[in-house]
Amino acid sequence: MNKNYTSTRDNQVQLPAKAAIRKGFSDDGGLFVYPELSKLKVELSQLVHKNYQEIAKIILMKLLPDFSEIQIEECIKNAYNHSFDTSLITPIKQVDNFNVLELFHGPTSAFKDIGLQMLPQLMKQVLTPEQRVMILTATSGDTGKAALEGFKNLEKMGITVFYPHDGVSKIQQLQMQTTNGNNTEITAIKGNFDDAQSNVKKIFNDQSFKQKLGENISLSSANSINIGRLIPQVVYYFASYIQLVTKEQIKLGDQVNFTVPTGNFGDVLAGYYAKQMGLPVKKFIVASNENNVLTKFFQTGIYDRNRPFLKTFAPSMDIQISSNFERLLYYKSGEDTQYVKQLMDQLENVGKYQVKPEVLAEIQKDFYCGYSTDEEIKQSIEQVYEQDNYLMDPHTAVGYKVMRDYQENDSKTPMILLSTASPYKFTHVVAEAILKQKIDDDFDAMQAINKKTNLPIPKNLAEVWNLPVLHDDVIDKDKMEDYIQQKVEADFYDKN
Ligand SMILES: *Cc1c(COP(=O)(O)O)cnc(C)c1O
């Protein structure tokens, strides 16, 4: 058996990709990582003239060596052949002197679909006949719906989603609350996203709770801490590069930059995986909103979460602990798991840590970081719409602002800006930006934007208003275990 994966906090841990995906999370609290990524070199010339699915197969076979070729092909077919509204899956659009990589053409109009159409398919290949798995997900809005769509009605799997009460947009909330399926559980918690995420992590580490659920029922995660969700995201970095080669905007081997609107650091970390595997990337431009913990880190080497949690116009990035940053620390410390454990213990105990100057320097080689205020988000949306007739959602607009800052010192290298959501998911801000009008009702705002721009409304977002609300639970943030227990009983015991 190929035991390719280890834990960021203990390099004695060794397990195959399948076990890493099923567990989601290492028992020592660390995340699963693939050591020495640069050994997995992808030959770029091999990717030219291949479609998304074919590129996905090449990348996934490298990162998931214990899956058979047939298993990988089946997963790719189920994940991407029917549920996206374009055959390119992640199309590139040229705007002014940069390219937008649209990652929102999946069933929920969020980039999370790319990972979350694939993760359930991988999970299905991993379970033995008697095993059952309950997926736990903390969401700041988009992960929840994307995970529900990926996992719904799959046998032997249930999914429970926790979202912050009053912390997601009206449309996001409706998208989740109207989900059908016989194994989907959704509740608001009285708390913010970090509360939801840290409580889910605690539950994963609560051995006595896991025992109570029974030996054939395991808990797993659909958050980007699960390597099975992160790996599919590596694909679009390669696929977008190949699109630029096909359009003859770049030659094979040319360097490019990627700007990535960042919250949990999963998306941009997938880009780093691509770079380690041979994609010629000069810099990753990491863009945060006013929860700019990472910007401060890049300036000082100090990661400090002791600060007020802000609700911004880009709510899917309202995060203070970027979980996947732990994975970057692992690679950039020379895969020193004791060192990473020490930093993560400090983060847990005192809410901050400082890295060694060498580690910070290594990180700065590959990454630039900046942030955008809410006011700048609105200005960017308006400006790009007026000048270039391209409509961005607020998260993409965060990226746009930081990309422009970066370009002041490097305007020559071809730039790809990742667009992480349809503008129709965050209609309040978009309407205010381009119509100069506050429209309280999300539905009215959607119609008004459509009238002004003629941009088609994605089908799933147009329909959500007419669907019945099936889930309206609200619970205390320390009642999450009880809730899960009830749902495990409902999903797995009653039916069999
Ligand atoms: C999740 C999300 C992000 C942040 O991605 P990470 O992988 O958490 O860094 C950005 N934009 C949108 C719309 C998202 O849903």
Side-chain angles (χ1 to χ4, degrees):
M1 188 68 96
N2 297 305
K3 295 193 173 175
N4 298 96
Y5 283 80
T6 188
S7 161
T8 47
R9 300 189 196 179
D10 179 3
N11 60 14
Q12 298 300 306
V13 172
Q14 287 185 326
L15 75 182
K18 285 185 176 175
I21 289 170
R22 185 162 54 80
K23 282 174 73 86
F25 208 77
S26 185
D27 291 334
D28 51 51
L31 305 181
F32 295 122
V33 279
Y34 195 115
E36 298 185 82
L37 274 172
S38 53
K39 286 190 176 159
L40 299 180
K41 276 278 179 294
V42 173
E43 196 53 63
L44 282 183
S45 57
Q46 202 195 349
L47 307 182
V48 181
H49 303 309
K50 293 219 161 50
N51 67 20
Y52 192 93
Q53 285 86 340
E54 290 163 335
I55 294 174
K57 182 176 153 187
I58 292 169
I59 307 298
L60 265 52
M61 288 200 45
K62 292 215 179 261
L63 284 163
L64 304 171
D66 50 319
F67 285 71
S68 72
E69 187 169 347
I70 291 171
Q71 285 179 319
I72 294 217
E73 281 172 353
E74 188 184 322
C75 289
I76 291 171
K77 181 171 73 110
N78 291 341
Y80 300 130
N81 279 14
H82 311 290
S83 54
F84 283 70
D85 68 11
T86 152
S87 61
L88 287 171
I89 310 297
T90 59
I92 271 207
K93 303 263 166 77
Q94 193 178 352
V95 180
D96 193 33
N97 66 347
F98 60 99
N99 296 281
V100 179
L101 174 59
E102 294 187 346
L103 301 176
F104 54 77
H105 288 272
T108 78
S109 306
F111 100 93
K112 306 236 171 9
D113 286 327
I114 295 159
L116 284 167
Q117 284 294 303
M118 177 58 76
L119 175 66
Q121 300 303 327
L122 297 172
M123 195 76 84
K124 198 162 89 181
Q125 304 285 352
V126 160
L127 297 179
T128 62
E130 59 289 343
Q131 282 172 337
R132 303 284 178 274
V133 60
M134 177 55 91
I135 304 294
L136 304 184
T137 296
T139 185
S140 55
D142 284 353
T143 298
K145 179 59 176 179
L148 289 162
E149 282 305 306
F151 282 99
K152 82 178 184 191
N153 294 328
L154 289 185
E155 277 175 35
K156 300 191 269 178
M157 292 184 246
I159 170 159
T160 305
V161 171
F162 300 98
Y163 68 92
H165 197 40
D166 300 327
V168 302
S169 79
K170 177 75 189 164
I171 297 174
Q172 288 176 321
Q173 185 173 337
L174 265 183
Q175 278 189 300
M176 290 191 273
Q177 290 182 324
T178 57
T179 305
N180 54 17
N182 59 16
N183 61 343
T184 53
E185 320 289 355
I186 299 122
T187 183
I189 66 148
K190 295 178 197 156
N192 62 33
F193 171 70
D194 282 332
D195 295 324
Q197 177 162 264
S198 57
N199 284 351
V200 164
K201 279 191 192 172
K202 268 187 218 145
I203 293 167
F204 280 125
N205 289 322
D206 184 344
Q207 303 306 330
S208 71
F209 179 64
K210 288 198 274 195
Q211 269 169 14
K212 219 159 74 178
L213 295 179
E215 68 174 317
N216 284 326
I217 295 181
S218 54
L219 299 176
S220 192
S221 166
N223 285 76
S224 54
I225 52 178
N226 194 316
I227 196 80
R229 162 151 163 217
L230 197 84
I231 287 169
Q233 295 181 234
V234 178
V235 176
Y236 52 74
Y237 285 91
F238 283 101
S240 60
Y241 184 91
I242 295 300
Q243 281 185 57
L244 288 189
V245 172
T246 306
K247 291 185 182 181
E248 298 186 352
Q249 283 194 30
I250 57 171
K251 290 197 294 294
L252 209 62
D254 286 353
Q255 282 197 320
V256 296
N257 292 326
F258 286 94
T259 298
V260 188
T262 294
N264 231 344
F265 212 80
D267 199 358
V268 68
L269 188 87
Y272 179 72
Y273 268 54
K275 179 172 183 174
Q276 294 308 101
M277 294 169 74
L279 190 68
V281 181
K282 187 169 169 194
K283 279 269 192 224
F284 293 100
I285 291 89
V286 176
S288 304
N289 61 26
E290 286 173 77
N291 290 296
N292 58 357
V293 184
L294 279 171
T295 311
K296 295 271 156 64
F297 173 86
F298 276 77
Q299 289 160 356
T300 60
I302 298 172
Y303 194 104
D304 186 356
R305 64 153 308 190
N306 299 306
R307 43 180 286 140
F309 178 93
L310 302 173
K311 283 190 187 184
T312 75
F313 287 165
S316 300
M317 292 156 50
D318 286 345
I319 284 175
Q320 295 192 317
I321 301 185
S322 293
S323 302
N324 282 291
F325 200 62
E326 175 171 350
R327 288 188 163 114
L328 187 67
L329 292 171
Y330 164 83
Y331 292 109
K332 292 298 194 181
S333 65
E335 310 193 352
D336 183 345
T337 56
Q338 265 184 335
Y339 181 65
V340 175
K341 180 171 165 29
Q342 199 187 318
L343 296 178
M344 291 303 119
D345 286 347
Q346 286 171 24
L347 185 63
E348 200 163 311
N349 298 329
V350 293
K352 69 175 186 177
Y353 61 79
Q354 176 163 23
V355 298
K356 296 183 276 198
E358 321 77 278
V359 174
L360 181 61
E362 277 299 316
I363 292 173
Q364 286 166 336
K365 266 189 208 161
D366 290 316
F367 299 87
Y368 166 94
C369 186
Y371 74 100
S372 170
T373 64
D374 275 356
E375 201 45 47
E376 289 164 335
I377 288 176
K378 270 197 297 192
Q379 282 165 6
S380 299
I381 294 172
E382 182 195 1
Q383 195 188 339
V384 173
Y385 180 69
E386 292 299 330
Q387 287 174 7
D388 307 304
N389 197 27
Y390 186 81
L391 190 64
M392 300 184 296
D393 100 292
H395 302 78
T396 311
V398 167
Y400 175 81
K401 153 70 172 52
V402 180
M403 173 187 85
R404 287 304 194 205
D405 290 346
Y406 176 80
Q407 283 182 321
E408 287 182 12
N409 293 313
D410 173 13
S411 59
K412 293 261 159 34
T413 310
M415 177 67 83
I416 300 172
L417 167 63
L418 274 58
S419 175
T420 49
S422 160
Y424 284 113
K425 283 199 93 166
F426 301 93
T427 51
H428 272 283
V429 183
V430 173
E432 225 182 296
I434 64 166
L435 301 167
K436 299 282 162 282
Q437 206 184 341
K438 274 203 165 64
I439 305 178
D440 283 336
D441 186 89
D442 274 352
F443 180 78
D444 294 342
M446 193 180 257
Q447 302 301 323
I449 294 166
N450 179 249
K451 200 162 157 227
K452 163 105 178 169
T453 64
N454 283 323
L455 186 71
I457 302 174
K459 194 159 160 277
N460 76 87
L461 298 179
E463 285 173 354
V464 72
W465 310 93
N466 304 323
L467 300 174
V469 167
L470 303 172
H471 311 267
D472 56 3
D473 293 348
V474 181
I475 63 167
D476 231 58
K477 68 181 176 198
D478 43 59
K479 289 286 183 311
M480 287 165 55
E481 284 194 349
D482 298 343
Y483 191 83
I484 295 163
Q485 171 118 39
Q486 269 173 27
K487 298 306 177 184
V488 162
E489 285 167 12
D491 279 358
F492 299 132
Y493 301 144
D494 296 359
K495 278 181 210 150
N496 306 326

